[in-house]
């Protein structure tokens, strides 16, 4: 933080005049407050704290739509992004973070906040706790991406002596950074308010949610890191000893159960719309009124600079407020992972056992009796958004299996034996290679704002981004309990999440296994920026992204397996039957395919588990150890 802290102030200066140039130049700046001025007023101290909240670092963001839809949970329907599905993976520097600028600002804030005398004891304690929460959050983000990093807890200043070695610090172990995050959460949780209504500032619930997630990540790295011995460093800057796994899992379970048992306030699963569980699930992410599930968010507000265009980028294009959108196309890989309501993994039934198409009277019949989260997460053919039906169908299929379609949205052609043109493809596609339409056969629903104007550039959206929510806490508790051998407890917490999704069959202790844990997080937390770190900590990323193509027959096999490969996104397209002499005329069939723009197969290399540390950082500090496989 600089000597002078700049904040936005509107001051109207009336009648100001100067008698000379010298007087003019010597006058104090009117829009700059000195450090002493800032920390002599509780309101300006709070504004500095608000600025630190703005520097909170998320992997997934609503103002960067692709960050929520990577790793083949979706295809990106935008011409400039097709290359992402034509290469073979990611660079070693992907996802790196070395955020010591924010760490320094928080350290300075904590020191100056501690020294000020204008705050009440209660105010000071809360502000300090919030600063520590934010600092721990930054370190959590860095350790997830880099591994162990230098732990700097005091502000440092260069003395211009020409020797900066005293500013060079080595990396801590990966475990030490996780321990720091966990211990900070424990230290501040009872200082922060146990207030469910507070969503965008740190609370006891947010601290515990951070703690349970951090402890769970550390525990799984300790347990599953043995599967990737090449992803370690001898000094444990990367890698956590397996002997520490149970200790972390126990902390994860305890922190989660503090939230579940109400010590942080009355958090619970959102269930305002029990008669429509899909809409109920979608509402978790946009209902800001007495939302019991949401714990900590990045919030937005219309008519300010703090708003986003996520809905405009991803809304169904046909009839949209800006006639654009459709960028995130959820993949068949994800869609078919949602179980049937009786709790079975079943591929979308497009063909019978003999390989013949199954005919559906209505276009959405194929999705009947599925986990309610499917339609709450994804806009399916036959559904609607903002009261307008989406128009997703790929063309007519004739009696000989040939297709009549168009490369224009809503395009028209003549059908055999008819005169006059009719519409032969949906206004929302799918059309292979045509951007901003549903090339996979689907649009995204999660985080789309149903309010009028949200898809309009002049209005935008104020839907919040959820950083922590109660359902994830339940899943954290379930996973930690499973890893500790307490499968009855794991089943109890999994069943709470699954019951809210409408799944009618309860899991027993004997049903809970690693596949169930992985699967439940995959479908519940899709498009929330967590899937990537789950795959990393379980050391599954190099297995599911092995660089090999997926065949059409393979894509529908092994649904629910934690190691099911996901190197390419697949699609499934609906066609109308045109065969006037058949009872199937006018019905729908579905065809599985890989679109033409998907030509690469993702290969997650060992060097991707921990991002490369930049050469500029290593050159300036020889104590920094390089990450493995770089």
């Amino acid at each position: 933080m600089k000597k002078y802290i700049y904040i936005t102030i509107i001051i109207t200066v009336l009648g100001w005049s100067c008698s000379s140039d010298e007087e003019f130049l010597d006058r104090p700046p009117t829009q700059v407050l000195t450090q002493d001025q800032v920390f002599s007023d509780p309101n300006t101290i709070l504004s500095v704290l608000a600025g630190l909240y703005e520097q909170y670092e998320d992997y997934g963001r609503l103002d960067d739509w692709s960050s929520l839809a990577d790793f083949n949970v979706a295809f990106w329907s935008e011409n400039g992004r097709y290359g992402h599905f034509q290469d073979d993976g990611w660079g070693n520097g992907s996802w790196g973070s070395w955020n010591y600028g924010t760490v320094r600002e928080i350290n300075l804030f904590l020191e100056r906040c501690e020294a000020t005398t204008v705050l009440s004891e209660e105010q000071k304690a809360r502000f300090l706790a919030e600063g520590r929460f934010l600092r721990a959050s930054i370190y959590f983000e860095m350790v997830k991406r880099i591994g162990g990093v230098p732990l700097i807890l005091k502000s440092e200043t260069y003395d211009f002596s020409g020797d900066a070695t005293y500013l060079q610090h080595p990396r801590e172990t990966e475990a030490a950074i996780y321990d720091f995050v966990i211990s900070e959460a424990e230290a501040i949780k009872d200082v922060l308010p146990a207030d469910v209504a507070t969503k965008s500032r740190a609370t006891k619930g947010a601290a515990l949610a951070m703690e349970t997630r951090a402890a769970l990540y550390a525990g799984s790295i300790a347990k599953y890191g043995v599967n990737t011995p090449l992803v370690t460093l001898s000094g444990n800057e990367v890698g956590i000893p397996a002997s520490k796994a149970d200790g972390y899992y126990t902390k994860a379970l305890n922190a989660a159960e503090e939230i579940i048992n109400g010590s942080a306030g009355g958090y619970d699963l959102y269930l305002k719309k029990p008669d429509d569980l899909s809409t109920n699930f979608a509402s978790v992410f946009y209902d800001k009124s007495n939302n019991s599930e949401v714990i900590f968010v990045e919030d937005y507000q219309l008519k300010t600079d703090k708003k986003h265009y996520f809905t405009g980028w991803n809304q169904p294009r046909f009839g949209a407020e800006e006639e654009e959108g459709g960028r995130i196309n959820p993949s068949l890989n994800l869609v078919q992972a949602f179980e049937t309501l009786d709790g079975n993994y079943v591929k979308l039934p497009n063909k019978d056992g003999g390989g013949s198409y199954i005919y559906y009277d209505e276009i959405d019949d194929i999705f009947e009796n599925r986990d309610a989260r499917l339609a709450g997460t994804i806009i399916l053919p036959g559904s609607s958004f903002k009261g307008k039906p989406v128009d997703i169908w790929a063309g007519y299929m004739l009696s000989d299996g040939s297709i009549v379609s168009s490369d224009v949205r809503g395009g028209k052609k003549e059908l055999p034996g008819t005169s006059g043109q009719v519409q032969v493809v949906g206004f929302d596609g799918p059309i292979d290679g045509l951007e901003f339409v549903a090339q996979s056969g689907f649009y995204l629903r999660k985080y789309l704002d149903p309010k009028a104007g949200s898809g309009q550039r002049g209005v935008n959206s104020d839907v919040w981004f959820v950083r922590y929510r109660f359902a994830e806490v339940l899943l954290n508790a379930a996973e930690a309990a499973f890893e500790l051998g307490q499968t009855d407890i794991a089943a109890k917490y999994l069943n709470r999440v699954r019951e809210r999704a409408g799944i009618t069959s309860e899991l027993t202790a004997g049903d809970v296994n690693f596949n169930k844990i992985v699967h439940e997080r995959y479908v519940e937390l899709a498009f929330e920026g967590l899937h990537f770190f789950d795959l990393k900590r379980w050391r599954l990323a190099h297995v599911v992204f092995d660089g090999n193509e997926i065949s059409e027959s393979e894509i529908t096999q092994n649904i629910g397996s934690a190691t099911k490969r996901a190197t390419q996104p697949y699609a499934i397209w609906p066609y109308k039957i045109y065969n006037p002499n058949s009872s199937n005329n006018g019905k729908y069939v579905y065809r599985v395919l890989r679109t033409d723009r998907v030509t690469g197969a993702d290969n997650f290399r060992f060097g991707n588990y921990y991002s490369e540390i930049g050469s500029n950082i290593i050159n300036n500090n020889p104590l920094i150890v390089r990450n493995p496989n770089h």
Side-chain angles (χ1 to χ4, degrees):
M1 193 179 292
K2 298 177 180 179
K3 180 178 181 181
Y4 295 105
I5 298 173
Y6 296 83
I7 63 173
T8 301
I9 303 174
I10 300 174
I11 298 176
T12 302
V13 179
L14 298 173
W16 182 274
S17 62
C18 303
S19 58
S20 66
D21 288 348
E22 183 176 356
E23 182 181 347
F24 175 79
L25 293 172
D26 285 344
R27 67 180 182 173
T30 58
Q31 292 188 319
V32 177
L33 296 181
T34 66
Q35 171 188 316
D36 290 339
Q37 287 174 319
V38 169
F39 284 87
S40 62
D41 182 337
N43 290 322
T44 53
I45 297 173
L46 181 60
S47 72
V48 174
L49 181 60
L52 297 177
Y53 273 100
E54 282 298 298
Q55 297 180 58
Y56 189 99
E57 190 170 13
D58 292 297
Y59 171 76
R61 298 184 57 83
L62 292 177
D63 56 12
D64 178 11
W65 59 266
S66 64
S67 65
L68 295 173
D70 203 352
F71 309 105
N72 298 323
V73 295
F75 176 75
W76 300 348
S77 187
E78 183 182 279
N79 287 345
R81 308 265 189 167
Y82 294 154
H84 192 67
F85 302 94
Q86 295 165 355
D87 58 22
D88 64 351
W90 304 270
N92 284 342
S94 301
W95 321 298
S97 175
W98 197 262
N99 197 354
Y100 282 96
T102 301
V103 168
R104 174 175 168 75
E105 289 197 33
I106 296 174
N107 284 338
L108 285 168
F109 171 81
L110 291 172
E111 292 161 9
R112 290 164 180 169
C113 190
E114 183 70 63
T116 189
T117 58
V118 299
L119 297 174
S120 68
E121 288 302 312
E122 184 179 0
Q123 279 180 315
K124 179 180 288 190
R126 181 176 180 183
F127 286 5
L128 290 171
E130 288 183 90
R132 292 173 68 179
F133 171 82
L134 293 171
R135 184 175 60 184
S137 298
I138 296 294
Y139 275 110
F140 186 17
E141 198 63 30
M142 285 199 286
V143 73
K144 285 190 299 180
R145 305 185 193 201
I146 299 285
V149 294
L151 187 59
I152 312 296
L153 302 179
K154 298 290 183 184
S155 63
E156 296 182 333
T157 303
Y158 179 53
D159 61 8
F160 296 96
S161 65
D163 178 9
T165 55
Y166 68 97
L167 297 174
Q168 297 170 344
H169 302 278
R171 299 174 65 181
E172 298 286 341
T173 65
E174 187 171 14
I177 300 301
Y178 276 109
D179 289 344
F180 170 72
V181 175
I182 294 165
S183 65
E184 284 291 274
E186 276 294 302
I188 63 176
K189 67 180 184 183
D190 290 324
V191 181
L192 295 167
D195 180 7
V196 178
T198 297
K199 306 293 190 184
S200 57
R201 292 179 66 177
T203 59
K204 182 175 183 178
L208 286 167
M210 177 177 69
E211 180 179 353
T212 182
R213 186 189 288 176
L216 188 70
Y217 282 22
S220 48
I221 292 168
K223 177 170 182 179
Y224 296 102
V226 297
N227 296 331
T228 53
L230 293 177
V231 188
T232 57
L233 288 172
S234 59
N236 286 329
E237 295 88 350
V238 163
I240 298 176
S243 60
K244 298 173 79 70
D246 280 358
Y248 284 126
Y249 285 132
T250 299
K251 290 178 180 178
L253 179 57
N254 290 343
E257 288 192 321
E258 279 200 62
I259 298 175
I260 294 168
N261 296 333
S263 78
Y267 295 105
D268 202 349
L269 291 175
Y270 181 99
L271 197 55
K272 290 185 181 180
K273 301 166 184 172
D275 295 332
D276 183 350
L277 292 178
S278 293
T279 299
N280 182 75
F281 186 68
S283 302
V284 170
F285 303 93
Y286 59 73
D287 183 356
K288 296 184 176 181
S289 176
N290 299 317
N291 190 320
S292 62
E293 178 157 347
V294 167
I295 297 174
F296 182 57
V297 303
E298 179 176 21
D299 207 356
Y300 295 85
Q301 186 174 357
L302 296 179
K303 300 180 180 178
T304 70
D305 291 335
K306 185 75 173 177
K307 54 185 182 292
H308 61 79
Y309 195 56
F310 189 82
T311 298
W313 286 321
N314 296 295
Q315 62 194 336
R317 183 178 177 183
F318 177 51
E321 290 158 332
E322 284 287 352
E323 187 62 14
E324 68 165 315
R327 286 169 172 79
I328 295 178
N329 296 173
S331 65
L332 172 62
N333 317 39
L334 174 65
V335 169
Q336 67 183 2
F338 290 87
E339 295 167 69
T340 56
L341 289 176
D342 57 2
N344 289 308
Y345 300 123
V346 178
K347 74 167 191 172
L348 291 177
N350 68 318
K351 292 184 177 180
D352 61 23
S356 299
Y357 282 111
I358 297 174
Y359 297 92
Y360 290 97
D361 291 335
E362 303 296 335
I363 196 170
D364 55 353
D365 285 352
I366 194 173
F367 306 107
E368 277 192 349
N369 297 317
R370 289 270 169 177
D371 180 333
R373 290 171 293 189
L374 171 59
T377 303
I378 293 165
I379 293 176
L380 306 166
S383 61
S384 60
F385 179 66
K386 292 186 178 180
K388 297 179 181 177
V390 296
D391 191 30
I392 300 174
W393 57 286
Y396 278 101
M397 181 177 286
L398 307 184
S399 58
D400 62 357
S402 60
I403 301 297
V404 178
S405 185
S406 170
D407 57 3
V408 177
R409 296 188 304 129
K412 295 182 177 180
K413 290 183 179 176
E414 285 189 6
L415 294 173
T418 66
S419 60
Q421 295 192 331
V422 297
Q423 182 184 342
V424 295
V425 66
F427 279 94
D428 285 304
I431 298 171
D432 202 351
L434 183 64
E435 65 178 348
F436 308 146
V437 299
Q439 293 191 56
S440 70
F442 307 103
Y443 287 127
L444 179 71
R445 183 177 187 186
K446 186 177 278 189
Y447 278 122
L448 289 201
D449 186 347
K451 292 197 298 294
S454 61
Q456 194 172 342
R457 288 192 178 275
V459 180
N460 289 286
S461 172
D462 63 353
V463 162
W464 56 21
F465 178 67
V466 180
R467 288 165 168 155
Y468 294 107
R469 64 184 175 100
F470 188 72
E472 186 211 346
V473 171
L474 288 171
L475 295 180
N476 292 349
E479 182 179 344
F482 163 73
E483 296 290 2
L484 292 168
Q486 301 171 26
T487 51
D488 54 336
I489 295 175
K492 178 178 68 174
Y493 293 138
L494 286 172
N495 282 330
R496 285 186 65 176
V497 176
R498 291 163 62 84
E499 182 181 0
R500 195 264 297 268
I503 296 176
T504 55
S505 62
E506 283 199 355
L507 298 175
T508 66
D511 295 327
V512 179
N513 54 38
F514 183 64
N515 285 335
K516 281 288 183 190
I517 295 292
V518 172
H519 167 267
E520 206 61 43
R521 294 182 70 92
Y522 182 44
V523 296
E524 174 73 28
L525 305 175
F527 303 109
E528 297 184 37
L530 301 175
H531 179 54
F532 171 50
F533 295 109
D534 281 348
L535 294 177
K536 282 182 57 172
R537 65 188 176 86
W538 290 322
R539 296 300 192 254
L540 287 174
H542 71 287
V543 177
V544 300
F545 305 116
D546 65 357
N548 294 308
E549 293 186 0
I550 302 173
S551 67
E552 184 177 325
S553 61
E554 183 186 1
I555 188 64
T556 55
Q557 298 172 1
N558 299 319
I559 299 170
S561 168
T563 57
K564 180 175 173 56
R565 297 191 309 111
T567 56
Q568 299 173 307
Y570 261 72
I572 185 167
W573 288 3
Y575 291 89
K576 284 184 183 178
I577 295 298
Y578 181 73
N579 185 358
N581 298 320
S582 168
S583 61
N584 291 323
N585 186 50
K587 293 184 178 181
Y588 293 88
V589 296
Y590 276 80
R591 183 168 71 91
V592 173
L593 71 157
R594 193 174 68 207
T595 58
D596 287 347
R597 300 304 185 275
V598 180
T599 57
D602 285 329
N603 184 9
F604 193 96
R605 300 167 178 83
F606 285 146
N608 291 134
Y609 272 105
Y610 293 89
S611 300
E612 184 174 22
I613 299 174
S615 57
N616 59 324
I617 295 169
I618 292 176
N619 292 339
N620 287 327
N621 182 0
L623 299 180
I624 298 297
V625 180
R626 291 182 185 276
N627 269 340
N629 309 301
H630 295 166

